[in-house]
Amino acid sequence: EYSILAPRLLKQTVGSFAPQFNNNFQHDSQEFCQFLIDGLHEDLNRVKNKPYVEQFEAYGMEDRLAAEESWRNHLKRHDSIFVDYTQGMHRSHLRCPGCGRESVKFDVYSSISIPLVPPKSGSPIPLKDCLDQFAAGEQLDEHNAWYCSNCKKHVCALKLITLWNTPDILVLHLKRFTFEKCPDVDGRILRRKIEDTVSFPIDRLDLTEYVLGPVDPNAPPIYKLFGVSEHSGTTANSGHYTATARNSEDGNWYRYNDSNVGFTSGDAAITGGAYLLFYQRSKGSLRWAGMEKELSGSATPSVDEDGFQAVVGKKKKNRR
């Protein structure tokens, strides 16, 4: 009833640009998806001559002004349909545990990596619990330490990431793989898999409470699921990938397993193998995750090298 397309040419093409994918090994679907999106973005990038842009430190600034300035800097080098509808921005706050120095930056993201919390009484883990853990922050370890310019060394800083806004197409990456030493394989580091089931919404994922920036009532951060990438197996280097997707025309759900395609439901994707969750905004659309409206309605004052803002006087009315 259905024709089958094997994406061998796509894989070969990607492999020609990325040698790590130019083989028959098992690969991480999140890494492949991210590389593919980044590559398509660069091919469609409207910015042909990229200027040098310094990293923007936002500590001490009003969040709204810092977010707008950070997005302006991003647009100087990146402008494509992927920027329009698949990229958002989050606020990253780091604090040195030694001297207390703080750093605030607004970074662009195209997917959100969500930690998995331990299950309670063997029941499925609510996605909200994982989102709460994500919003609670983390203390960095020695593998991803932050350099403190005051202490002149790398430190295990306290890191808090808060969503400033969310794009029309939202990708959630469930962090199922952990790095562990394997004594049975000469002590090499292997990625072990967390196979606990995460219960995620199908028709209504409301992220309003996690968004720090302005929320547009005509396009709120409420989403419906349209696809899931699923992994079966014990490690990221082995196993098998399948997919469950909602057809945008008839609204039906289909399961894709190599050459086999069949009807299913969105709820059937809620398993211990769900790895990437693809969501679309349910109502309205916001270019640049809403930053287009913010920038068009903003009269951000210029800031000189000493950090002073220019004062713009009001235009006097003509007297008759």
Side-chain angles (χ1 to χ4, degrees):
E1 184 179 357
Y2 303 105
S3 59
I4 297 171
L5 172 65
R8 296 187 184 91
L9 181 58
L10 172 63
K11 182 181 180 301
Q12 292 172 3
T13 303
V14 173
S16 66
F17 291 97
Q20 67 268 31
F21 297 121
N22 193 21
N23 50 57
N24 294 320
F25 301 150
Q26 176 77 54
H27 294 287
D28 188 309
S29 68
Q30 190 268 341
E31 293 175 358
F32 181 85
C33 181
Q34 191 63 59
F35 181 86
L36 180 61
I37 290 176
D38 289 346
L40 292 172
H41 156 67
E42 287 298 340
D43 283 348
L44 298 173
N45 198 350
R46 304 175 186 112
V47 179
K48 303 306 179 184
N49 298 311
K50 297 183 178 181
Y52 172 74
V53 178
E54 291 188 1
Q55 280 196 315
F56 183 69
E57 173 59 57
Y59 182 69
M61 287 187 66
E62 182 185 339
D63 280 344
R64 180 185 64 82
L65 298 179
E68 291 173 1
E69 187 65 23
S70 298
W71 189 258
R72 286 192 186 94
N73 286 341
H74 180 62
L75 292 180
K76 292 175 182 177
R77 296 175 56 87
H78 304 280
D79 184 15
S80 73
I81 191 171
F82 289 93
V83 176
D84 292 345
Y85 301 111
T86 71
Q87 292 186 358
M89 198 160 47
H90 60 64
R91 181 184 188 270
S92 176
H93 185 182
L94 289 154
R95 185 176 185 275
C96 177
C99 69
R101 179 181 178 270
E102 297 179 75
S103 173
V104 174
K105 293 182 179 177
F106 284 79
D107 298 316
V108 175
Y109 69 86
S110 54
S111 65
I112 305 173
S113 294
I114 307 295
L116 270 63
V117 299
K120 300 176 182 178
S121 304
S123 58
I125 305 169
L127 180 63
K128 187 181 187 308
D129 289 358
C130 300
L131 289 168
D132 289 343
Q133 182 64 36
F134 168 80
E138 62 175 331
Q139 181 156 19
L140 304 180
D141 56 30
E142 60 274 10
H143 298 294
N144 55 0
W146 172 63
Y147 183 78
C148 176
S149 58
N150 279 354
C151 298
K152 307 297 182 185
K153 63 179 181 179
H154 287 85
V155 297
C156 296
L158 302 173
K159 184 176 183 179
L160 179 65
I161 292 180
T162 310
L163 300 179
W164 180 254
N165 54 31
T166 57
D168 282 0
I169 303 299
L170 181 69
V171 181
L172 299 185
H173 164 224
L174 301 181
K175 297 172 68 173
R176 290 196 173 277
F177 298 105
T178 60
F179 292 89
E180 295 180 2
K181 267 190 177 181
C182 183
D184 300 330
V185 195
D186 303 325
R188 285 184 291 175
I189 301 295
L190 292 179
R191 289 203 290 179
R192 297 294 187 186
K193 184 182 176 185
I194 302 172
E195 299 193 74
D196 298 319
T197 298
V198 176
S199 177
F200 46 86
I202 305 299
D203 294 311
R204 184 182 171 83
L205 171 63
D206 190 348
L207 296 179
T208 304
E209 66 178 287
Y210 303 102
V211 175
L212 183 62
V215 171
D216 188 334
N218 296 316
I222 300 175
Y223 293 83
K224 61 181 180 181
L225 187 75
F226 70 88
V228 180
S229 173
E230 304 141 347
H231 176 270
S232 59
T234 56
T235 72
N237 303 317
S238 63
H240 180 64
Y241 279 104
T242 56
T244 300
R246 188 200 307 246
N247 187 297
S248 61
E249 294 186 1
D250 60 22
N252 292 325
W253 286 91
Y254 297 87
R255 180 172 175 80
Y256 301 85
N257 185 354
D258 289 341
S259 60
N260 297 315
V261 181
F263 286 105
T264 186
S265 66
D267 291 328
I270 303 177
T271 68
Y275 186 41
L276 295 180
L277 311 180
F278 296 86
Y279 282 93
Q280 182 176 13
R281 195 184 304 274
S282 298
K283 174 186 175 183
S285 178
L286 292 176
R287 188 179 182 223
W288 301 343
M291 290 306 297
E292 182 179 43
K293 287 187 176 182
E294 294 302 309
L295 294 181
S296 63
S298 172
T300 304
S302 59
V303 180
D304 64 21
E305 59 182 6
D306 296 319
F308 292 100
Q309 294 181 354
V311 177
V312 180
K314 294 182 179 180
K315 188 177 180 180
K316 295 182 179 180
K317 296 181 180 180
N318 293 327
R319 294 183 178 178
R320 294 183 179 179

